[in-house]
Amino acid sequence: MTNVPVDPLAIIELTNLKASGKLEELAKHPALSMKQEWAVWLAGNKDSAIRQFLAQNHSIVKLGGIVEVLADDRDPYVRAALASNPALESRPDTIKNLCADEESWVRRSLANNPVVMNFPDIVETLSNDRRFHVRSALAHNLEIGRHEKIMARLAIDHTSDVRFALSNNPVVTNFPDIVETLSNDKDVWVCDSLVNDPNILKYPHVVQRMIKRLVSDKDPDIRSSIAVNPILMQCPEAIEILIRDPDPNVRYELLQNPNIGSYPHILKRLALDKEPLSTSTIYEQPPVSRAPTI
């Protein structure tokens, strides 16, 4: 066991929690490492929820043997909880073992953990995992930008869920080549996801192309999604297309666009729509100033 400084007040708190049977709070307590024997006791508790709380406790990595016991726990949810613990950075052997866990939800939890990005071999293994939800978790990890080559591979993954997860990651807009790839994805929902990131405005030519594609899509849900997106206002000709959309629900979503108040002539045309689009929305929509905020 690593020598852990003892805080008398923390010991009192731990003692009171144990005495009162508040085992969840005890398992989560940041000073639990001061009482290794109690951590060992909790690791053997028959209630898997208690063991999950223990596995997420950052302080357990200071205790010899506890991490290994939890990594071999019979319950995959306990192992998954451990895989999500950012303090695992100091336990590379445990990370390697969890990466090879037979239960994909454990590997998915590890792929979500930002500290995994400090281990290139593990990132490489997870990016090739046979289960798409593991690769999706890696694609959505906010630290994936540290591995641009792997991002590029995920951007062309054969499963659209993985590409969709990557398009939802805010770090993507820092990589022009990845943006270009995702903006041309064959799955239109990937494109729709990407255009929802405000930082995509750094790529005006990409924005114009994606908006034109989305407003012309055969799926009214896609057209509704872009109709309500503030970024639509970057492409006036797309607004004109949506005003004439054959689906009244799409035109209604256009009314809900937070920037539509800046276009009174559009509101006037929608007010004359032959199908009910909630006229109260038309007249209650406050105008949005185009002036920059100072």
Side-chain angles (χ1 to χ4, degrees), residues 16-32:
N16 289 338
L17 288 173
K18 185 172 184 293
S20 60
K22 297 180 179 179
L23 301 189
E24 288 189 5
E25 287 83 349
L26 181 63
K28 293 187 289 185
H29 201 287
L32 182 60

Side-chain angles (χ1 to χ4, degrees), residues 49-104:
I50 299 297
R51 305 198 305 277
Q52 287 179 52
F53 284 121
L54 180 65
Q56 292 173 322
N57 190 322
H58 295 188
S59 73
I60 63 169
V61 298
K62 303 174 184 177
L63 306 177
I66 300 295
V67 171
E68 288 74 14
V69 168
L70 294 169
D72 290 331
D73 195 281
R74 64 186 180 277
D75 190 325
Y77 290 103
V78 174
R79 304 196 304 274
L82 179 65
S84 71
N85 192 327
L88 274 185
E89 185 173 9
S90 62
R91 296 295 188 97
D93 289 342
T94 300
I95 288 178
K96 185 176 180 180
N97 291 337
L98 292 170
C99 183
D101 196 283
E102 62 181 10
E103 174 53 62
S104 64

Side-chain angles (χ1 to χ4, degrees), residues 17-238:
L17 288 173
K18 185 172 184 293
S20 60
K22 297 180 179 179
L23 301 189
E24 288 189 5
E25 287 83 349
L26 181 63
K28 293 187 289 185
H29 201 287
L32 182 60
S33 58
M34 297 179 189
K35 284 288 187 178
Q36 181 174 14
E37 66 275 19
W38 292 359
V40 172
W41 174 64
L42 290 169
N45 193 285
K46 65 180 181 180
D47 186 345
S48 66
I50 299 297
R51 305 198 305 277
Q52 287 179 52
F53 284 121
L54 180 65
Q56 292 173 322
N57 190 322
H58 295 188
S59 73
I60 63 169
V61 298
K62 303 174 184 177
L63 306 177
I66 300 295
V67 171
E68 288 74 14
V69 168
L70 294 169
D72 290 331
D73 195 281
R74 64 186 180 277
D75 190 325
Y77 290 103
V78 174
R79 304 196 304 274
L82 179 65
S84 71
N85 192 327
L88 274 185
E89 185 173 9
S90 62
R91 296 295 188 97
D93 289 342
T94 300
I95 288 178
K96 185 176 180 180
N97 291 337
L98 292 170
C99 183
D101 196 283
E102 62 181 10
E103 174 53 62
S104 64
W105 290 103
V106 176
R107 306 194 303 275
R108 178 183 185 274
S109 185
L110 185 65
N112 267 321
N113 193 334
V115 303
V116 79
M117 296 301 168
N118 295 327
F119 303 91
D121 292 347
I122 300 297
V123 176
E124 178 68 28
T125 299
L126 293 171
S127 71
N128 288 303
D129 196 280
R130 65 184 184 277
R131 299 300 295 272
F132 77 83
H133 66 100
V134 176
R135 304 194 306 277
S136 294
L138 188 69
H140 202 252
N141 191 310
L142 294 177
E143 295 296 322
I144 190 64
R146 294 162 57 185
H147 300 273
E148 187 173 356
K149 289 184 178 180
I150 287 178
M151 279 182 70
R153 190 163 70 240
L154 293 171
I156 56 172
D157 192 279
H158 64 275
T159 302
S160 63
D161 297 71
V162 177
R163 307 192 305 272
F164 183 82
L166 185 62
S167 69
N168 262 297
N169 193 324
V171 305
V172 161
T173 52
N174 295 323
F175 300 90
D177 290 345
I178 305 295
V179 167
E180 188 67 26
T181 298
L182 293 173
S183 69
N184 287 302
D185 196 279
K186 60 184 178 182
D187 187 331
V188 70
W189 284 108
V190 173
C191 180
D192 178 75
S193 171
L194 186 62
V195 85
N196 273 287
D197 187 336
N199 291 321
I200 197 66
L201 288 171
K202 294 189 293 185
Y203 307 95
H205 66 289
V206 173
V207 169
Q208 292 284 328
R209 187 179 71 241
M210 287 195 295
I211 291 176
K212 291 175 183 177
R213 175 188 177 185
L214 294 170
V215 299
S216 301
D217 193 83
K218 63 181 180 180
D219 186 345
D221 288 338
I222 285 289
R223 302 197 305 275
S224 291
S225 179
I226 188 61
V228 78
N229 191 329
I231 209 169
L232 173 69
M233 303 308 164
Q234 302 295 317
C235 187
E237 63 183 276

